[in-house]
Amino acid sequence: MNVNTLILGAGAAGMMAAAHAGTEVLVVDHARAAGEKIRISGGGRCNFTNLHTDPARFLSRNPHFAKSALSRYTPRDFVALVDAHGIAHHEKTLGQLFCDGSAKQIVAMLRTEMDRAGARLWLQTEVGDIAHDGAAFRVDLVREGRPVTVTARHLILATGGKSIPKMGATDLSYRIAAQFGLPLVAPRPGLVPLTFTDDRFAALAGTALPTRASANGTAFAEATLFTHRGLSGPAILQASSYWTEGGTLTLDLAPGTALGDALVTAKRDAARKTLTTVLSYHLPTKLVQYLATHASDDWPSGWQTAPLATLPDAALRDLGAALHHWHLIPSGTEGYRTAEVTLGGIDTAGLNSRTMAAKHLPTLYAIGEAVDVTGWLGGYNFQWAWASGWAAGQAI
Ligand code: FDA
């Protein structure tokens, strides 16, 4: 069978590309349904874009690569599409747009756009050997158990990253890219909970508080959640993409509050209260108890029994500073099992930023999460999938 364009992967990027790649388009996917990650995203409501999309909110070895596609296909363009399909939506927080109803509406919208463009979709299709004879790709497929060979002038790699293998994530795009001489940036889990070798936070599991989490110089002011295995919540997921093995995670446990000043003020106003009582006005009581038991190196001596009035101002200020800079060394992450995205992937050095095509083989394209462009939490990764898929589609 002959097509003009074969797209591997019917996820966010692949479906978007299919809607824009002209005629004779075939999309194949080994899953039973298209857009499964869209369906489960955003707690079933799909955080489909972010109004504050900016290349600075993406990680890549080449921070300039994403600029072209993101500036040509913007959140406004995607919102216009969503509006044209009558899908109601709202801004939740920080520019994050969600469906009012269900993420399934976004999948249905993309399927409709694909149908309008005349693109075909083969599900439950496995991808086998791939060759290029100088003019076209020959791709061996097994469709619902039957072998089929497809010849395609253009081949788009859109099978995403390695996150959530249980949902069918594979390294197929990386393998095909490597076969055709495209370099890779080592993939690693991103937007992922951080773990510790011991169960030090088990007693705090379920406790959440507003924080500022930073790793490798990038900070996020959002909530942190303590879990049985370590730390999660949006601030931690965001920081995890910047954190590297062996590195330090720093938590500000009371961003926006000058804790040292607050303790010194409390010393005057509530002189007979204890330190833990006063700290509990600013932090969850369970956390104060934990810190007092397990992380009290920076606490003034005698704090356990002494009333606040007897503790020196300098010691209270030092404790405040320590609580604004709690340094932790996670042992690792929860890995691809729970990671929302995969950092790294097909190195942008081998790709044209306007078309997403391989520089040395311009009929081979890579889009979406398979490429070494990873967004922050909050709709940025879908915006990259839409923009890169659109850019490849336009180029065909
Ligand atoms: P995507 O993973 O969507 O699609 C890849 C497709 O390729 C899949 O259909 C898969 O079955 C197929 N495939 C893989 N290997 C194959 C093989 N060997 N053969 C054939 N087919 C193969 N982002 C965001 O912006 N807002 C959000 O709300 C969320 N929420 C969210 C929740 C959860 C739980 C996860 C795991 C992820 C998110 N994300 C997100 C991230 C977002 O889902 C992700 O970045 C995009 O789906 C990436 O789009 P792609 O099309 O590149 O890959």
Side-chain angles (χ1 to χ4, degrees):
M1 181 182 155
N2 275 313
V3 294
N4 189 47
T5 304
L6 176 63
I7 301 176
L8 306 183
M15 287 199 280
M16 190 67 176
H20 291 276
T23 54
E24 287 185 67
V25 175
L26 172 64
V27 188
V28 301
D29 199 297
H30 66 173
R32 282 170 181 276
E36 280 294 88
K37 278 196 183 163
I38 302 173
R39 185 178 61 78
I40 62 151
S41 68
R45 290 225 156 88
C46 187
N47 176 194
F48 55 79
T49 192
N50 193 299
L51 296 173
H52 307 313
T53 293
D54 182 286
R57 293 174 176 208
F58 291 81
L59 293 89
S60 172
R61 187 177 276 176
N62 176 2
H64 303 293
F65 181 82
K67 287 181 179 172
S68 172
L70 291 175
S71 67
R72 286 186 300 135
Y73 192 88
T74 66
R76 225 176 308 131
D77 293 317
F78 196 76
V79 170
L81 183 64
V82 168
D83 287 340
H85 283 258
I87 301 172
H89 54 86
H90 62 279
E91 181 181 345
K92 195 169 170 191
T93 175
L94 304 170
Q96 301 168 4
L97 298 192
F98 285 77
C99 297
D100 290 356
S102 162
K104 288 181 192 162
Q105 294 174 286
I106 300 291
V107 180
M109 175 188 87
L110 293 166
R111 289 296 311 273
T112 303
E113 290 294 312
M114 279 173 65
D115 288 346
R116 270 187 199 156
R120 269 174 297 173
L121 172 64
W122 289 0
L123 294 168
Q124 294 178 274
T125 300
E126 302 295 330
V127 180
D129 289 345
I130 302 184
H132 188 255
D133 64 7
F137 293 92
R138 252 180 79 89
V139 182
D140 291 338
L141 302 171
V142 179
R143 185 188 183 198
E144 292 175 18
R146 282 194 301 278
V148 194
T149 297
V150 171
T151 305
R153 185 165 146 66
H154 302 275
L155 180 66
I156 301 184
L157 308 180
T159 59
K162 291 167 68 167
S163 299
I164 324 249
K166 256 193 177 166
M167 292 192 67
T170 70
D171 62 356
L172 180 67
S173 288
Y174 305 156
R175 282 189 274 122
I176 301 171
Q179 178 190 339
F180 288 101
L182 281 170
L184 285 187
V185 174
R188 63 188 174 89
L191 299 179
V192 64
L194 296 172
T195 56
F196 294 80
T197 41
D198 48 26
D199 58 356
R200 69 182 72 179
F201 297 133
L204 288 176
T207 302
L209 76 162
T211 57
R212 193 164 180 275
S214 54
N216 273 319
T218 303
F220 296 91
E222 290 188 68
T224 287
L225 170 72
F226 291 89
T227 71
H228 284 279
R229 303 190 62 200
L231 296 169
S232 188
I236 299 301
L237 299 184
Q238 297 277 34
S240 75
S241 294
Y242 289 84
W243 179 81
T244 45
E245 290 278 327
T248 302
L249 173 82
T250 302
L251 282 183
D252 179 343
L253 295 173
T257 306
L259 271 184
D261 290 350
L263 291 175
V264 171
T265 306
K267 175 177 163 176
R268 291 197 198 98
D269 300 346
R272 286 159 54 167
K273 295 225 159 111
T274 63
L275 189 50
T276 46
T277 303
V278 174
L279 278 176
S280 297
Y281 301 153
H282 302 279
L283 302 174
T285 306
K286 264 191 178 177
L287 177 59
V288 174
Q289 284 161 358
Y290 175 89
L291 293 166
T293 319
H294 300 282
S296 58
D297 288 356
D298 299 302
W299 292 44
S301 56
W303 64 267
Q304 294 93 332
T305 48
L308 209 52
T310 63
L311 302 175
D313 284 9
L316 294 176
R317 288 194 197 285
D318 286 350
L319 173 59
L323 297 174
H324 286 300
H325 298 91
W326 189 22
H327 300 301
L328 295 162
I329 301 187
S331 58
T333 74
E334 286 191 4
Y336 292 119
R337 189 178 61 82
T338 61
E340 207 162 284
V341 286
T342 303
L343 294 152
I346 300 170
D347 193 341
T348 59
L351 302 175
N352 177 321
S353 64
R354 197 174 164 77
T355 61
M356 304 294 135
K359 286 176 181 166
H360 70 286
L361 181 55
T363 52
L364 176 67
Y365 307 76
I367 57 176
E369 203 178 310
V371 178
D372 172 34
V373 173
T374 307
W376 287 4
L377 187 76
Y380 298 98
N381 286 296
F382 278 138
Q383 187 58 35
W384 169 246
W386 316 136
S388 58
W390 177 90
Q394 294 296 308
I396 290 173

